[in-house]
Amino acid sequence: MAGGGTSPCASCKLLRRRCTKDCIFAPFFPSDDPHKFAIVHKVFGASNISKMLQELPVHQRADAVSSLVYEANARMRDPVYGCVGAISFLQNQVSQLQMQLAVAQAEILCIQMQQEPQLPDPQHIEMSENERSYLMQNNLISGMPQLMNFASPSNNVGQESLKRESLWT
């Protein structure tokens, strides 16, 4: 018997048997928490629990009982999937939150890009005739306006879908 010998452990109480001093359940299922053994017994059965605990080294038994209690509680809530259903639900929730975070980050980036000052048009930049001719010869000026306008307010193709899916509206 656990804890002084006056009260049998929760498993022996539930199974209506005499609790011996070498009872394998006593250290893990105290008499003051009968629900803990009852739920594990209902899902796994006392014989199976006893066999599992006997096959484990003593230092691993407490962790095994904790896992059995967790799985038994999960099986009571979800008889088909048990704790795997809870894990799957949480993984889906993390995935949805990651998508929401990506959308929010994209919205922030769009707002920041709209608030940045526009880069000057290379056609209107003051430069010497030599610099201008060098850029013209190497075809650098003709391609620059398209590259420089990426942050302009008129270029809002991707922003429309973000506005419709806004998290704050």
Side-chain angles (χ1 to χ4, degrees):
M1 279 188 245
T6 58
S7 179
C9 67
S11 62
C12 291
K13 269 187 183 178
L14 185 75
L15 300 173
R16 299 173 190 233
R17 64 181 189 192
R18 188 172 171 267
C19 190
T20 61
K21 67 179 181 179
D22 61 337
C23 176
I24 195 162
F25 298 119
F28 312 109
F29 301 104
S31 61
D32 61 346
D33 193 7
H35 180 70
K36 184 176 174 182
F37 180 77
I39 195 165
V40 173
H41 171 62
K42 185 174 184 177
V43 173
F44 298 106
S47 177
N48 289 329
I49 299 166
S50 176
K51 289 176 191 174
M52 284 187 254
L53 292 177
Q54 287 173 350
E55 290 178 11
L56 289 173
V58 176
H59 68 279
Q60 291 180 341
R61 290 179 182 174
D63 290 335
V65 168
S66 176
S67 295
L68 289 170
V69 170
Y70 182 83
E71 178 64 27
N73 281 317
R75 287 279 169 193
M76 295 305 287
R77 279 184 261 118
D78 185 354
V80 176
Y81 295 109
C83 67
V84 174
I87 291 168
S88 178
F89 172 78
L90 292 173
Q91 284 176 333
N92 286 337
Q93 193 174 19
V94 166
S95 179
Q96 289 173 353
L97 290 172
Q98 285 173 334
M99 286 175 37
Q100 289 177 358
L101 176 62
V103 169
Q105 288 172 333
E107 286 180 355
I108 290 169
L109 183 61
C110 287
I111 291 168
Q112 287 173 344
M113 289 176 66
Q114 289 174 350
Q115 292 176 351
E116 286 181 7
Q118 295 296 315
L119 296 174
D121 188 356
Q123 299 292 334
H124 300 344
I125 297 176
E126 291 184 27
M127 61 178 86
S128 69
E129 192 59 39
N130 287 338
E131 292 171 332
R132 188 175 295 281
S133 67
Y134 173 78
L135 292 174
M136 297 280 260
Q137 286 175 358
N138 291 308
N139 199 21
L140 296 176
I141 288 184
S142 63
M144 287 179 79
Q146 292 85 15
L147 295 175
M148 302 298 267
N149 284 335
F150 70 94
S152 72
S154 63
N155 187 9
N156 60 4
V157 174
Q159 296 172 9
E160 289 303 318
S161 63
L162 289 176
K163 286 180 185 173
R164 279 182 265 140
E165 297 177 16
S166 175
L167 296 174
W168 298 286
T169 57

PDB file of all heavy atoms in Angstrom, residues 49-84:
ATOM      1  N   ILE A  49      -2.449  -2.347 -18.450  1.00  0.00           N
ATOM      2  CA  ILE A  49      -1.657  -1.317 -17.771  1.00  0.00           C
ATOM      3  C   ILE A  49      -0.585  -1.988 -16.918  1.00  0.00           C
ATOM      4  O   ILE A  49       0.581  -1.591 -16.921  1.00  0.00           O
ATOM      5  CB  ILE A  49      -2.553  -0.414 -16.899  1.00  0.00           C
ATOM      6  CG1 ILE A  49      -3.584   0.307 -17.751  1.00  0.00           C
ATOM      7  CG2 ILE A  49      -1.703   0.601 -16.135  1.00  0.00           C
ATOM      8  CD1 ILE A  49      -4.695   0.951 -16.946  1.00  0.00           C
ATOM      9  N   SER A  50      -0.978  -3.015 -16.198  1.00  0.00           N
ATOM     10  CA  SER A  50      -0.046  -3.741 -15.343  1.00  0.00           C
ATOM     11  C   SER A  50       1.088  -4.343 -16.168  1.00  0.00           C
ATOM     12  O   SER A  50       2.262  -4.236 -15.802  1.00  0.00           O
ATOM     13  CB  SER A  50      -0.792  -4.842 -14.592  1.00  0.00           C
ATOM     14  OG  SER A  50       0.108  -5.616 -13.840  1.00  0.00           O
ATOM     15  N   LYS A  51       0.762  -4.965 -17.281  1.00  0.00           N
ATOM     16  CA  LYS A  51       1.788  -5.563 -18.153  1.00  0.00           C
ATOM     17  C   LYS A  51       2.745  -4.507 -18.695  1.00  0.00           C
ATOM     18  O   LYS A  51       3.962  -4.718 -18.721  1.00  0.00           O
ATOM     19  CB  LYS A  51       1.132  -6.302 -19.317  1.00  0.00           C
ATOM     20  CG  LYS A  51       0.437  -7.579 -18.942  1.00  0.00           C
ATOM     21  CD  LYS A  51      -0.271  -8.175 -20.142  1.00  0.00           C
ATOM     22  CE  LYS A  51      -1.186  -9.311 -19.745  1.00  0.00           C
ATOM     23  NZ  LYS A  51      -1.982  -9.797 -20.889  1.00  0.00           N
ATOM     24  N   MET A  52       2.187  -3.363 -19.129  1.00  0.00           N
ATOM     25  CA  MET A  52       3.041  -2.290 -19.662  1.00  0.00           C
ATOM     26  C   MET A  52       4.000  -1.786 -18.598  1.00  0.00           C
ATOM     27  O   MET A  52       5.193  -1.585 -18.864  1.00  0.00           O
ATOM     28  CB  MET A  52       2.186  -1.123 -20.186  1.00  0.00           C
ATOM     29  CG  MET A  52       1.523  -1.379 -21.508  1.00  0.00           C
ATOM     30  SD  MET A  52       0.728   0.113 -22.130  1.00  0.00           S
ATOM     31  CE  MET A  52      -0.974  -0.302 -21.849  1.00  0.00           C
ATOM     32  N   LEU A  53       3.488  -1.553 -17.394  1.00  0.00           N
ATOM     33  CA  LEU A  53       4.333  -1.021 -16.329  1.00  0.00           C
ATOM     34  C   LEU A  53       5.408  -2.026 -15.907  1.00  0.00           C
ATOM     35  O   LEU A  53       6.539  -1.643 -15.609  1.00  0.00           O
ATOM     36  CB  LEU A  53       3.487  -0.612 -15.130  1.00  0.00           C
ATOM     37  CG  LEU A  53       2.568   0.600 -15.345  1.00  0.00           C
ATOM     38  CD1 LEU A  53       1.731   0.873 -14.104  1.00  0.00           C
ATOM     39  CD2 LEU A  53       3.375   1.828 -15.727  1.00  0.00           C
ATOM     40  N   GLN A  54       5.079  -3.308 -15.871  1.00  0.00           N
ATOM     41  CA  GLN A  54       6.053  -4.329 -15.479  1.00  0.00           C
ATOM     42  C   GLN A  54       7.177  -4.464 -16.509  1.00  0.00           C
ATOM     43  O   GLN A  54       8.302  -4.796 -16.142  1.00  0.00           O
ATOM     44  CB  GLN A  54       5.368  -5.673 -15.263  1.00  0.00           C
ATOM     45  CG  GLN A  54       4.555  -5.726 -13.989  1.00  0.00           C
ATOM     46  CD  GLN A  54       3.738  -6.997 -13.854  1.00  0.00           C
ATOM     47  OE1 GLN A  54       3.613  -7.774 -14.785  1.00  0.00           O
ATOM     48  NE2 GLN A  54       3.168  -7.191 -12.667  1.00  0.00           N
ATOM     49  N   GLU A  55       6.884  -4.209 -17.772  1.00  0.00           N
ATOM     50  CA  GLU A  55       7.906  -4.329 -18.815  1.00  0.00           C
ATOM     51  C   GLU A  55       8.869  -3.142 -18.848  1.00  0.00           C
ATOM     52  O   GLU A  55       9.936  -3.226 -19.450  1.00  0.00           O
ATOM     53  CB  GLU A  55       7.251  -4.485 -20.189  1.00  0.00           C
ATOM     54  CG  GLU A  55       6.568  -5.818 -20.379  1.00  0.00           C
ATOM     55  CD  GLU A  55       5.892  -5.941 -21.737  1.00  0.00           C
ATOM     56  OE1 GLU A  55       6.132  -5.086 -22.608  1.00  0.00           O
ATOM     57  OE2 GLU A  55       5.119  -6.888 -21.908  1.00  0.00           O
ATOM     58  N   LEU A  56       8.497  -2.049 -18.197  1.00  0.00           N
ATOM     59  CA  LEU A  56       9.333  -0.840 -18.213  1.00  0.00           C
ATOM     60  C   LEU A  56      10.277  -0.797 -17.020  1.00  0.00           C
ATOM     61  O   LEU A  56       9.941  -1.295 -15.940  1.00  0.00           O
ATOM     62  CB  LEU A  56       8.448   0.411 -18.172  1.00  0.00           C
ATOM     63  CG  LEU A  56       7.654   0.728 -19.421  1.00  0.00           C
ATOM     64  CD1 LEU A  56       6.702   1.886 -19.149  1.00  0.00           C
ATOM     65  CD2 LEU A  56       8.583   1.084 -20.562  1.00  0.00           C
ATOM     66  N   PRO A  57      11.442  -0.173 -17.195  1.00  0.00           N
ATOM     67  CA  PRO A  57      12.294   0.082 -16.025  1.00  0.00           C
ATOM     68  C   PRO A  57      11.576   1.022 -15.052  1.00  0.00           C
ATOM     69  O   PRO A  57      10.745   1.838 -15.468  1.00  0.00           O
ATOM     70  CB  PRO A  57      13.531   0.777 -16.620  1.00  0.00           C
ATOM     71  CG  PRO A  57      13.457   0.591 -18.089  1.00  0.00           C
ATOM     72  CD  PRO A  57      12.044   0.264 -18.436  1.00  0.00           C
ATOM     73  N   VAL A  58      11.887   0.927 -13.795  1.00  0.00           N
ATOM     74  CA  VAL A  58      11.188   1.679 -12.751  1.00  0.00           C
ATOM     75  C   VAL A  58      11.254   3.180 -13.004  1.00  0.00           C
ATOM     76  O   VAL A  58      10.260   3.890 -12.799  1.00  0.00           O
ATOM     77  CB  VAL A  58      11.773   1.327 -11.356  1.00  0.00           C
ATOM     78  CG1 VAL A  58      11.138   2.176 -10.274  1.00  0.00           C
ATOM     79  CG2 VAL A  58      11.587  -0.141 -11.059  1.00  0.00           C
ATOM     80  N   HIS A  59      12.380   3.680 -13.492  1.00  0.00           N
ATOM     81  CA  HIS A  59      12.533   5.129 -13.680  1.00  0.00           C
ATOM     82  C   HIS A  59      11.703   5.677 -14.849  1.00  0.00           C
ATOM     83  O   HIS A  59      11.539   6.878 -14.980  1.00  0.00           O
ATOM     84  CB  HIS A  59      14.021   5.499 -13.867  1.00  0.00           C
ATOM     85  CG  HIS A  59      14.630   5.020 -15.142  1.00  0.00           C
ATOM     86  ND1 HIS A  59      15.084   3.726 -15.321  1.00  0.00           N
ATOM     87  CD2 HIS A  59      14.843   5.665 -16.302  1.00  0.00           C
ATOM     88  CE1 HIS A  59      15.565   3.599 -16.548  1.00  0.00           C
ATOM     89  NE2 HIS A  59      15.436   4.755 -17.169  1.00  0.00           N
ATOM     90  N   GLN A  60      11.155   4.806 -15.698  1.00  0.00           N
ATOM     91  CA  GLN A  60      10.333   5.259 -16.829  1.00  0.00           C
ATOM     92  C   GLN A  60       8.831   5.103 -16.578  1.00  0.00           C
ATOM     93  O   GLN A  60       8.011   5.562 -17.371  1.00  0.00           O
ATOM     94  CB  GLN A  60      10.706   4.482 -18.100  1.00  0.00           C
ATOM     95  CG  GLN A  60      12.076   4.802 -18.628  1.00  0.00           C
ATOM     96  CD  GLN A  60      12.394   4.018 -19.888  1.00  0.00           C
ATOM     97  OE1 GLN A  60      11.757   2.997 -20.186  1.00  0.00           O
ATOM     98  NE2 GLN A  60      13.379   4.483 -20.637  1.00  0.00           N
ATOM     99  N   ARG A  61       8.470   4.491 -15.513  1.00  0.00           N
ATOM    100  CA  ARG A  61       7.055   4.180 -15.260  1.00  0.00           C
ATOM    101  C   ARG A  61       6.206   5.432 -15.033  1.00  0.00           C
ATOM    102  O   ARG A  61       5.065   5.488 -15.506  1.00  0.00           O
ATOM    103  CB  ARG A  61       6.927   3.221 -14.085  1.00  0.00           C
ATOM    104  CG  ARG A  61       7.435   1.831 -14.425  1.00  0.00           C
ATOM    105  CD  ARG A  61       7.344   0.887 -13.260  1.00  0.00           C
ATOM    106  NE  ARG A  61       7.898  -0.410 -13.634  1.00  0.00           N
ATOM    107  CZ  ARG A  61       8.055  -1.418 -12.786  1.00  0.00           C
ATOM    108  NH1 ARG A  61       7.693  -1.279 -11.509  1.00  0.00           N
ATOM    109  NH2 ARG A  61       8.569  -2.550 -13.196  1.00  0.00           N
ATOM    110  N   ALA A  62       6.715   6.404 -14.344  1.00  0.00           N
ATOM    111  CA  ALA A  62       5.938   7.630 -14.078  1.00  0.00           C
ATOM    112  C   ALA A  62       5.612   8.337 -15.391  1.00  0.00           C
ATOM    113  O   ALA A  62       4.476   8.807 -15.587  1.00  0.00           O
ATOM    114  CB  ALA A  62       6.708   8.561 -13.138  1.00  0.00           C
ATOM    115  N   ASP A  63       6.581   8.403 -16.304  1.00  0.00           N
ATOM    116  CA  ASP A  63       6.329   9.021 -17.610  1.00  0.00           C
ATOM    117  C   ASP A  63       5.313   8.212 -18.414  1.00  0.00           C
ATOM    118  O   ASP A  63       4.464   8.770 -19.101  1.00  0.00           O
ATOM    119  CB  ASP A  63       7.628   9.160 -18.404  1.00  0.00           C
ATOM    120  CG  ASP A  63       8.568  10.203 -17.819  1.00  0.00           C
ATOM    121  OD1 ASP A  63       8.077  11.133 -17.139  1.00  0.00           O
ATOM    122  OD2 ASP A  63       9.789  10.088 -18.059  1.00  0.00           O
ATOM    123  N   ALA A  64       5.400   6.898 -18.316  1.00  0.00           N
ATOM    124  CA  ALA A  64       4.449   6.039 -19.026  1.00  0.00           C
ATOM    125  C   ALA A  64       3.037   6.245 -18.504  1.00  0.00           C
ATOM    126  O   ALA A  64       2.080   6.338 -19.283  1.00  0.00           O
ATOM    127  CB  ALA A  64       4.867   4.579 -18.894  1.00  0.00           C
ATOM    128  N   VAL A  65       2.879   6.336 -17.192  1.00  0.00           N
ATOM    129  CA  VAL A  65       1.550   6.559 -16.600  1.00  0.00           C
ATOM    130  C   VAL A  65       1.017   7.918 -17.032  1.00  0.00           C
ATOM    131  O   VAL A  65      -0.163   8.046 -17.390  1.00  0.00           O
ATOM    132  CB  VAL A  65       1.606   6.435 -15.057  1.00  0.00           C
ATOM    133  CG1 VAL A  65       0.325   6.948 -14.418  1.00  0.00           C
ATOM    134  CG2 VAL A  65       1.842   4.989 -14.657  1.00  0.00           C
ATOM    135  N   SER A  66       1.877   8.915 -17.050  1.00  0.00           N
ATOM    136  CA  SER A  66       1.455  10.246 -17.494  1.00  0.00           C
ATOM    137  C   SER A  66       0.964  10.195 -18.950  1.00  0.00           C
ATOM    138  O   SER A  66      -0.062  10.788 -19.284  1.00  0.00           O
ATOM    139  CB  SER A  66       2.633  11.213 -17.353  1.00  0.00           C
ATOM    140  OG  SER A  66       2.288  12.473 -17.849  1.00  0.00           O
ATOM    141  N   SER A  67       1.672   9.470 -19.789  1.00  0.00           N
ATOM    142  CA  SER A  67       1.259   9.326 -21.192  1.00  0.00           C
ATOM    143  C   SER A  67      -0.043   8.553 -21.315  1.00  0.00           C
ATOM    144  O   SER A  67      -0.910   8.902 -22.132  1.00  0.00           O
ATOM    145  CB  SER A  67       2.357   8.615 -21.995  1.00  0.00           C
ATOM    146  OG  SER A  67       3.510   9.401 -22.053  1.00  0.00           O
ATOM    147  N   LEU A  68      -0.197   7.506 -20.515  1.00  0.00           N
ATOM    148  CA  LEU A  68      -1.435   6.722 -20.548  1.00  0.00           C
ATOM    149  C   LEU A  68      -2.636   7.565 -20.116  1.00  0.00           C
ATOM    150  O   LEU A  68      -3.716   7.470 -20.713  1.00  0.00           O
ATOM    151  CB  LEU A  68      -1.310   5.485 -19.657  1.00  0.00           C
ATOM    152  CG  LEU A  68      -0.382   4.380 -20.153  1.00  0.00           C
ATOM    153  CD1 LEU A  68      -0.155   3.336 -19.066  1.00  0.00           C
ATOM    154  CD2 LEU A  68      -0.955   3.731 -21.407  1.00  0.00           C
ATOM    155  N   VAL A  69      -2.443   8.375 -19.086  1.00  0.00           N
ATOM    156  CA  VAL A  69      -3.529   9.241 -18.614  1.00  0.00           C
ATOM    157  C   VAL A  69      -3.896  10.255 -19.700  1.00  0.00           C
ATOM    158  O   VAL A  69      -5.080  10.489 -19.979  1.00  0.00           O
ATOM    159  CB  VAL A  69      -3.149   9.947 -17.286  1.00  0.00           C
ATOM    160  CG1 VAL A  69      -4.152  11.015 -16.920  1.00  0.00           C
ATOM    161  CG2 VAL A  69      -3.020   8.919 -16.174  1.00  0.00           C
ATOM    162  N   TYR A  70      -2.867  10.839 -20.331  1.00  0.00           N
ATOM    163  CA  TYR A  70      -3.121  11.823 -21.394  1.00  0.00           C
ATOM    164  C   TYR A  70      -3.876  11.174 -22.560  1.00  0.00           C
ATOM    165  O   TYR A  70      -4.869  11.710 -23.052  1.00  0.00           O
ATOM    166  CB  TYR A  70      -1.804  12.424 -21.886  1.00  0.00           C
ATOM    167  CG  TYR A  70      -1.997  13.473 -22.949  1.00  0.00           C
ATOM    168  CD1 TYR A  70      -2.298  14.782 -22.594  1.00  0.00           C
ATOM    169  CD2 TYR A  70      -1.911  13.160 -24.304  1.00  0.00           C
ATOM    170  CE1 TYR A  70      -2.498  15.752 -23.558  1.00  0.00           C
ATOM    171  CE2 TYR A  70      -2.115  14.124 -25.268  1.00  0.00           C
ATOM    172  CZ  TYR A  70      -2.401  15.409 -24.897  1.00  0.00           C
ATOM    173  OH  TYR A  70      -2.612  16.359 -25.858  1.00  0.00           O
ATOM    174  N   GLU A  71      -3.410  10.009 -23.002  1.00  0.00           N
ATOM    175  CA  GLU A  71      -4.062   9.313 -24.119  1.00  0.00           C
ATOM    176  C   GLU A  71      -5.480   8.875 -23.739  1.00  0.00           C
ATOM    177  O   GLU A  71      -6.391   8.971 -24.559  1.00  0.00           O
ATOM    178  CB  GLU A  71      -3.231   8.113 -24.565  1.00  0.00           C
ATOM    179  CG  GLU A  71      -3.859   7.302 -25.679  1.00  0.00           C
ATOM    180  CD  GLU A  71      -4.014   8.045 -27.006  1.00  0.00           C
ATOM    181  OE1 GLU A  71      -3.244   8.973 -27.281  1.00  0.00           O
ATOM    182  OE2 GLU A  71      -4.935   7.684 -27.776  1.00  0.00           O
ATOM    183  N   ALA A  72      -5.671   8.409 -22.523  1.00  0.00           N
ATOM    184  CA  ALA A  72      -7.014   7.991 -22.088  1.00  0.00           C
ATOM    185  C   ALA A  72      -7.977   9.168 -22.100  1.00  0.00           C
ATOM    186  O   ALA A  72      -9.122   9.038 -22.566  1.00  0.00           O
ATOM    187  CB  ALA A  72      -6.942   7.360 -20.702  1.00  0.00           C
ATOM    188  N   ASN A  73      -7.514  10.325 -21.601  1.00  0.00           N
ATOM    189  CA  ASN A  73      -8.368  11.525 -21.644  1.00  0.00           C
ATOM    190  C   ASN A  73      -8.674  11.927 -23.078  1.00  0.00           C
ATOM    191  O   ASN A  73      -9.800  12.309 -23.405  1.00  0.00           O
ATOM    192  CB  ASN A  73      -7.696  12.685 -20.897  1.00  0.00           C
ATOM    193  CG  ASN A  73      -7.838  12.567 -19.411  1.00  0.00           C
ATOM    194  OD1 ASN A  73      -8.905  12.240 -18.914  1.00  0.00           O
ATOM    195  ND2 ASN A  73      -6.758  12.809 -18.690  1.00  0.00           N
ATOM    196  N   ALA A  74      -7.689  11.843 -23.953  1.00  0.00           N
ATOM    197  CA  ALA A  74      -7.901  12.185 -25.367  1.00  0.00           C
ATOM    198  C   ALA A  74      -8.865  11.201 -26.021  1.00  0.00           C
ATOM    199  O   ALA A  74      -9.704  11.593 -26.842  1.00  0.00           O
ATOM    200  CB  ALA A  74      -6.566  12.205 -26.107  1.00  0.00           C
ATOM    201  N   ARG A  75      -8.756   9.925 -25.664  1.00  0.00           N
ATOM    202  CA  ARG A  75      -9.665   8.908 -26.223  1.00  0.00           C
ATOM    203  C   ARG A  75     -11.100   9.108 -25.735  1.00  0.00           C
ATOM    204  O   ARG A  75     -12.045   8.796 -26.455  1.00  0.00           O
ATOM    205  CB  ARG A  75      -9.210   7.502 -25.845  1.00  0.00           C
ATOM    206  CG  ARG A  75      -8.006   7.034 -26.575  1.00  0.00           C
ATOM    207  CD  ARG A  75      -8.343   6.530 -27.938  1.00  0.00           C
ATOM    208  NE  ARG A  75      -7.118   6.325 -28.697  1.00  0.00           N
ATOM    209  CZ  ARG A  75      -7.087   6.125 -29.986  1.00  0.00           C
ATOM    210  NH1 ARG A  75      -8.206   6.074 -30.689  1.00  0.00           N
ATOM    211  NH2 ARG A  75      -5.951   5.969 -30.608  1.00  0.00           N
ATOM    212  N   MET A  76     -11.262   9.626 -24.550  1.00  0.00           N
ATOM    213  CA  MET A  76     -12.618   9.890 -24.054  1.00  0.00           C
ATOM    214  C   MET A  76     -13.251  11.040 -24.830  1.00  0.00           C
ATOM    215  O   MET A  76     -14.446  11.016 -25.112  1.00  0.00           O
ATOM    216  CB  MET A  76     -12.605  10.209 -22.552  1.00  0.00           C
ATOM    217  CG  MET A  76     -12.158   9.038 -21.686  1.00  0.00           C
ATOM    218  SD  MET A  76     -13.101   7.531 -21.938  1.00  0.00           S
ATOM    219  CE  MET A  76     -14.623   7.970 -21.150  1.00  0.00           C
ATOM    220  N   ARG A  77     -12.432  12.046 -25.181  1.00  0.00           N
ATOM    221  CA  ARG A  77     -12.937  13.182 -25.958  1.00  0.00           C
ATOM    222  C   ARG A  77     -13.123  12.819 -27.423  1.00  0.00           C
ATOM    223  O   ARG A  77     -14.074  13.267 -28.066  1.00  0.00           O
ATOM    224  CB  ARG A  77     -11.980  14.375 -25.842  1.00  0.00           C
ATOM    225  CG  ARG A  77     -12.165  15.155 -24.569  1.00  0.00           C
ATOM    226  CD  ARG A  77     -11.266  16.377 -24.531  1.00  0.00           C
ATOM    227  NE  ARG A  77     -10.106  16.016 -23.712  1.00  0.00           N
ATOM    228  CZ  ARG A  77      -8.848  15.982 -24.119  1.00  0.00           C
ATOM    229  NH1 ARG A  77      -8.537  16.334 -25.321  1.00  0.00           N
ATOM    230  NH2 ARG A  77      -7.884  15.626 -23.317  1.00  0.00           N
ATOM    231  N   ASP A  78     -12.206  12.021 -27.962  1.00  0.00           N
ATOM    232  CA  ASP A  78     -12.241  11.647 -29.379  1.00  0.00           C
ATOM    233  C   ASP A  78     -11.908  10.157 -29.484  1.00  0.00           C
ATOM    234  O   ASP A  78     -10.738   9.783 -29.595  1.00  0.00           O
ATOM    235  CB  ASP A  78     -11.221  12.492 -30.157  1.00  0.00           C
ATOM    236  CG  ASP A  78     -11.268  12.252 -31.661  1.00  0.00           C
ATOM    237  OD1 ASP A  78     -11.996  11.351 -32.118  1.00  0.00           O
ATOM    238  OD2 ASP A  78     -10.555  12.973 -32.379  1.00  0.00           O
ATOM    239  N   PRO A  79     -12.927   9.295 -29.437  1.00  0.00           N
ATOM    240  CA  PRO A  79     -12.683   7.848 -29.404  1.00  0.00           C
ATOM    241  C   PRO A  79     -11.955   7.290 -30.632  1.00  0.00           C
ATOM    242  O   PRO A  79     -11.293   6.266 -30.538  1.00  0.00           O
ATOM    243  CB  PRO A  79     -14.086   7.248 -29.309  1.00  0.00           C
ATOM    244  CG  PRO A  79     -14.953   8.348 -28.852  1.00  0.00           C
ATOM    245  CD  PRO A  79     -14.340   9.614 -29.318  1.00  0.00           C
ATOM    246  N   VAL A  80     -12.055   7.955 -31.765  1.00  0.00           N
ATOM    247  CA  VAL A  80     -11.436   7.432 -32.973  1.00  0.00           C
ATOM    248  C   VAL A  80      -9.958   7.822 -33.072  1.00  0.00           C
ATOM    249  O   VAL A  80      -9.092   6.984 -33.281  1.00  0.00           O
ATOM    250  CB  VAL A  80     -12.200   7.913 -34.235  1.00  0.00           C
ATOM    251  CG1 VAL A  80     -11.507   7.466 -35.503  1.00  0.00           C
ATOM    252  CG2 VAL A  80     -13.630   7.408 -34.197  1.00  0.00           C
ATOM    253  N   TYR A  81      -9.664   9.098 -32.923  1.00  0.00           N
ATOM    254  CA  TYR A  81      -8.298   9.576 -33.155  1.00  0.00           C
ATOM    255  C   TYR A  81      -7.486   9.819 -31.890  1.00  0.00           C
ATOM    256  O   TYR A  81      -6.261   9.876 -31.938  1.00  0.00           O
ATOM    257  CB  TYR A  81      -8.328  10.863 -33.986  1.00  0.00           C
ATOM    258  CG  TYR A  81      -8.854  10.649 -35.372  1.00  0.00           C
ATOM    259  CD1 TYR A  81     -10.103  11.131 -35.734  1.00  0.00           C
ATOM    260  CD2 TYR A  81      -8.125   9.942 -36.314  1.00  0.00           C
ATOM    261  CE1 TYR A  81     -10.597  10.932 -37.008  1.00  0.00           C
ATOM    262  CE2 TYR A  81      -8.613   9.726 -37.583  1.00  0.00           C
ATOM    263  CZ  TYR A  81      -9.847  10.226 -37.936  1.00  0.00           C
ATOM    264  OH  TYR A  81     -10.341  10.022 -39.187  1.00  0.00           O
ATOM    265  N   GLY A  82      -8.128  10.010 -30.761  1.00  0.00           N
ATOM    266  CA  GLY A  82      -7.400  10.229 -29.524  1.00  0.00           C
ATOM    267  C   GLY A  82      -6.519  11.459 -29.590  1.00  0.00           C
ATOM    268  O   GLY A  82      -6.911  12.509 -30.111  1.00  0.00           O
ATOM    269  N   CYS A  83      -5.287  11.336 -29.081  1.00  0.00           N
ATOM    270  CA  CYS A  83      -4.392  12.496 -29.056  1.00  0.00           C
ATOM    271  C   CYS A  83      -3.897  12.857 -30.457  1.00  0.00           C
ATOM    272  O   CYS A  83      -3.502  14.001 -30.697  1.00  0.00           O
ATOM    273  CB  CYS A  83      -3.234  12.277 -28.099  1.00  0.00           C
ATOM    274  SG  CYS A  83      -2.076  11.012 -28.576  1.00  0.00           S
ATOM    275  N   VAL A  84      -3.943  11.934 -31.386  1.00  0.00           N
ATOM    276  CA  VAL A  84      -3.544  12.249 -32.766  1.00  0.00           C
ATOM    277  C   VAL A  84      -4.513  13.270 -33.369  1.00  0.00           C
ATOM    278  O   VAL A  84      -4.101  14.161 -34.108  1.00  0.00           O
ATOM    279  CB  VAL A  84      -3.481  10.964 -33.630  1.00  0.00           C
ATOM    280  CG1 VAL A  84      -3.222  11.283 -35.087  1.00  0.00           C
ATOM    281  CG2 VAL A  84      -2.419  10.022 -33.102  1.00  0.00           C
TER     282      VAL A  84
END
